[in-house]
Amino acid sequence: MAVFLCKCGKHLSTTESPNDIELRVYTDREWDSITQNDSVDPLAIPFPKYDVWKCPQCARIYFFDSESGKPVKTYALEENNLVLLTLIGLPSRFLFLEGVGEK
C-alpha cells in the first residue's frame, strides 16, 4: 500500500522515502526479542506486525494489517475538557491537567 485517503480528506502517501507518514512501531515484547543479541544487524530487523500511518493534518493514526493491507484500527484525537493551572512560582508557564474540575 502506498496511498490512502484519510477520513479528514488528506491524501496519505508513502511512495517517497523517507516520509513523515509511515511509522515503525514495535511492542516492547517484540523489540525485546529483536534485541536479545549483543548486536543487532539493521538488515535483520523484521517489519512490525502492523503498518502504522499518521495523518499530518488531523493526527489520526491508522493501523494496517501488514498482510492484507487493510486498516484494522483507527485512532483519532478527542476534544477533552482541559483545566489550565498556573504552576506555583512560574506564572509564565502553564500545566494542562485532564479531568480536573469535571463533575
Side-chain angles (χ1 to χ4, degrees):
M1 180 185 306
V3 179
F4 184 77
L5 181 63
C6 182
K7 289 183 180 180
C8 73
K10 174 81 173 168
H11 286 273
L12 307 179
S13 174
T14 59
T15 56
E16 292 182 17
S17 183
N19 63 71
D20 294 324
I21 304 297
E22 190 172 18
L23 309 173
R24 300 285 185 218
V25 179
Y26 296 89
T27 65
D28 187 50
R29 191 174 310 280
E30 289 171 328
W31 190 248
D32 189 53
S33 70
I34 292 168
T35 59
Q36 288 278 325
N37 301 327
D38 291 336
S39 65
V40 177
D41 177 9
L43 299 176
I45 296 175
F47 284 106
K49 181 177 180 180
Y50 296 104
D51 292 326
V52 180
W53 291 21
K54 180 182 177 188
C55 177
Q57 185 167 300
C58 70
R60 190 172 271 116
I61 303 286
Y62 292 94
F63 283 73
F64 297 90
D65 183 290
S66 58
E67 291 180 14
S68 71
K70 295 181 181 180
V72 293
K73 296 177 186 172
T74 302
Y75 295 91
L77 293 178
E78 293 182 353
E79 295 286 331
N80 290 320
N81 294 328
L82 299 176
V83 177
L84 181 63
L85 299 175
T86 304
L87 292 173
I88 297 172
L90 302 171
S92 64
R93 297 185 185 221
F94 300 97
L95 173 67
F96 290 92
L97 293 179
E98 187 175 340
V100 175
E102 290 183 4
K103 293 184 179 186

Coordinates of all heavy atoms in Angstrom, one line a residue, residues 22-27 29-37 39-51 66:
E22 N 4.6 7.2 7.5 CA 4.7 5.8 8.0 C 5.6 5.8 9.2 O 6.7 6.3 9.2 CB 5.3 4.9 6.9 CG 5.3 3.5 7.2 CD 5.7 2.6 6.0 OE1 6.3 3.2 5.1 OE2 5.4 1.4 6.0
L23 N 5.1 5.1 10.2 CA 5.9 4.9 11.5 C 6.3 3.5 11.7 O 5.5 2.6 11.3 CB 5.0 5.4 12.7 CG 4.4 6.7 12.6 CD1 3.4 7.0 13.7 CD2 5.4 7.8 12.5
R24 N 7.4 3.2 12.3 CA 7.8 1.8 12.6 C 7.5 1.7 14.1 O 8.2 2.3 15.0 CB 9.3 1.6 12.4 CG 9.7 1.8 11.0 CD 9.3 0.6 10.1 NE 9.8 0.8 8.8 CZ 9.1 0.4 7.7 NH1 7.9 -0.1 7.8 NH2 9.6 0.6 6.5
V25 N 6.5 0.9 14.4 CA 6.1 0.7 15.8 C 6.2 -0.8 16.2 O 5.6 -1.6 15.5 CB 4.6 1.2 16.0 CG1 4.1 1.0 17.4 CG2 4.5 2.7 15.5
Y26 N 6.9 -1.0 17.3 CA 7.0 -2.4 17.9 C 6.5 -2.3 19.3 O 6.7 -1.4 20.0 CB 8.5 -2.8 17.9 CG 9.1 -2.9 16.5 CD1 9.7 -1.8 15.9 CD2 9.1 -4.1 15.8 CE1 10.3 -1.9 14.7 CE2 9.7 -4.2 14.6 CZ 10.3 -3.1 14.0 OH 10.9 -3.2 12.8
T27 N 5.9 -3.4 19.7 CA 5.6 -3.6 21.2 C 6.9 -3.8 21.9 O 7.9 -4.1 21.3 CB 4.7 -4.8 21.4 OG1 5.4 -6.0 21.1 CG2 3.4 -4.7 20.7
R29 N 7.6 -6.1 23.9 CA 8.0 -7.5 23.8 C 8.6 -7.9 22.5 O 9.6 -8.6 22.4 CB 6.7 -8.4 24.0 CG 7.0 -9.9 24.2 CD 5.7 -10.6 24.6 NE 4.9 -10.1 25.7 CZ 5.2 -10.2 27.0 NH1 6.2 -10.9 27.3 NH2 4.4 -9.7 27.9
E30 N 8.0 -7.3 21.4 CA 8.6 -7.5 20.0 C 10.1 -7.0 20.0 O 11.0 -7.7 19.5 CB 7.8 -6.9 19.0 CG 6.5 -7.5 18.7 CD 5.6 -6.7 17.8 OE1 5.7 -5.4 17.8 OE2 4.8 -7.3 17.0
W31 N 10.2 -5.8 20.5 CA 11.6 -5.1 20.4 C 12.6 -5.9 21.3 O 13.7 -6.1 20.9 CB 11.5 -3.7 20.8 CG 12.8 -3.0 20.5 CD1 13.7 -2.5 21.4 CD2 13.4 -2.7 19.2 NE1 14.7 -1.9 20.8 CE2 14.6 -2.0 19.5 CE3 13.0 -3.0 17.9 CZ2 15.4 -1.6 18.4 CZ3 13.8 -2.6 16.9 CH2 15.0 -1.9 17.1
D32 N 12.1 -6.4 22.4 CA 13.0 -7.2 23.3 C 13.5 -8.4 22.6 O 14.6 -8.8 22.7 CB 12.3 -7.5 24.6 CG 13.2 -8.1 25.6 OD1 14.2 -7.5 25.9 OD2 12.9 -9.2 26.1
S33 N 12.6 -9.1 21.9 CA 13.0 -10.3 21.2 C 14.0 -10.0 20.0 O 14.8 -10.8 19.7 CB 11.8 -11.1 20.7 OG 11.2 -10.5 19.7
I34 N 13.8 -8.9 19.4 CA 14.7 -8.5 18.3 C 16.1 -8.1 18.9 O 17.1 -8.5 18.3 CB 14.1 -7.2 17.6 CG1 12.9 -7.6 16.8 CG2 15.2 -6.6 16.6 CD1 12.1 -6.5 16.3
T35 N 16.1 -7.5 20.0 CA 17.4 -7.0 20.6 C 18.0 -8.0 21.6 O 18.9 -7.6 22.4 CB 17.3 -5.7 21.2 OG1 16.3 -5.7 22.3 CG2 16.9 -4.6 20.2
Q36 N 17.6 -9.3 21.6 CA 18.2 -10.2 22.5 C 19.7 -10.4 22.4 O 20.4 -10.7 23.4 CB 17.5 -11.6 22.3 CG 16.1 -11.6 22.8 CD 16.0 -11.9 24.3 OE1 16.8 -12.6 24.9 NE2 15.0 -11.3 25.0
N37 N 20.2 -10.3 21.2 CA 21.6 -10.5 20.9 C 22.4 -9.3 21.4 O 21.8 -8.2 21.5 CB 21.8 -10.8 19.5 CG 21.1 -12.0 19.0 OD1 20.9 -13.0 19.8 ND2 20.7 -12.0 17.8
S39 N 24.5 -7.6 19.6 CA 24.5 -6.6 18.5 C 23.3 -7.0 17.6 O 23.0 -8.1 17.4 CB 25.8 -6.7 17.7 OG 26.0 -7.9 17.1
V40 N 22.8 -5.9 17.0 CA 21.6 -6.1 16.1 C 22.0 -5.7 14.7 O 22.4 -4.5 14.5 CB 20.4 -5.3 16.6 CG1 19.2 -5.4 15.7 CG2 20.0 -5.7 18.0
D41 N 21.8 -6.6 13.8 CA 22.1 -6.2 12.4 C 20.9 -5.5 11.9 O 19.8 -6.1 11.8 CB 22.3 -7.5 11.6 CG 22.5 -7.3 10.1 OD1 22.6 -6.1 9.7 OD2 22.5 -8.3 9.3
P42 N 21.0 -4.2 11.4 CA 19.8 -3.5 11.0 C 19.1 -4.1 9.8 O 17.9 -4.0 9.7 CB 20.4 -2.1 10.5 CG 21.8 -2.0 11.2 CD 22.2 -3.5 11.4
L43 N 19.8 -4.9 9.0 CA 19.1 -5.6 7.9 C 18.3 -6.8 8.3 O 17.5 -7.3 7.6 CB 20.1 -6.0 6.8 CG 20.9 -4.8 6.2 CD1 22.0 -5.3 5.2 CD2 20.0 -3.9 5.5
A44 N 18.6 -7.3 9.6 CA 17.9 -8.4 10.1 C 16.6 -8.1 10.9 O 15.9 -9.0 11.3 CB 18.8 -9.3 10.9
I45 N 16.4 -6.8 11.1 CA 15.2 -6.4 11.9 C 14.0 -6.6 11.1 O 13.8 -6.1 9.9 CB 15.3 -4.9 12.3 CG1 16.5 -4.7 13.2 CG2 14.0 -4.4 13.0 CD1 16.8 -3.2 13.6
P46 N 13.0 -7.4 11.6 CA 11.8 -7.7 10.8 C 10.9 -6.5 10.8 O 11.0 -5.6 11.7 CB 11.2 -8.8 11.6 CG 11.7 -8.6 13.0 CD 13.1 -8.1 12.9
F47 N 10.0 -6.5 9.8 CA 9.0 -5.4 9.8 C 8.0 -5.6 10.9 O 7.8 -6.7 11.4 CB 8.2 -5.4 8.5 CG 9.0 -4.8 7.3 CD1 9.5 -5.7 6.4 CD2 9.2 -3.5 7.2 CE1 10.3 -5.2 5.3 CE2 10.0 -2.9 6.2 CZ 10.5 -3.8 5.2
P48 N 7.4 -4.5 11.5 CA 6.4 -4.7 12.6 C 5.2 -5.4 12.1 O 5.0 -5.6 10.9 CB 6.1 -3.2 12.9 CG 7.1 -2.4 12.3 CD 7.7 -3.1 11.1
K49 N 4.4 -5.9 13.1 CA 3.2 -6.6 12.8 C 2.2 -5.8 12.0 O 1.5 -6.3 11.1 CB 2.6 -7.1 14.1 CG 1.3 -7.9 13.9 CD 0.8 -8.4 15.2 CE -0.5 -9.2 15.0 NZ -1.0 -9.7 16.3
Y50 N 2.1 -4.5 12.3 CA 1.2 -3.6 11.7 C 2.0 -2.4 11.0 O 3.0 -2.0 11.5 CB 0.3 -2.9 12.7 CG -0.7 -3.9 13.3 CD1 -0.5 -4.3 14.7 CD2 -1.8 -4.4 12.7 CE1 -1.3 -5.2 15.3 CE2 -2.6 -5.3 13.3 CZ -2.4 -5.7 14.6 OH -3.2 -6.5 15.2
D51 N 1.5 -2.0 9.8 CA 1.9 -0.7 9.2 C 1.2 0.4 9.9 O -0.1 0.3 10.0 CB 1.7 -0.7 7.7 CG 2.5 -1.7 7.0 OD1 3.7 -2.0 7.4 OD2 2.0 -2.2 6.0
S66 N -0.4 -5.9 8.0 CA 0.8 -5.9 7.0 C 0.6 -6.9 5.9 O 1.1 -6.8 4.9 CB 2.1 -6.1 7.8 OG 2.0 -7.3 8.5

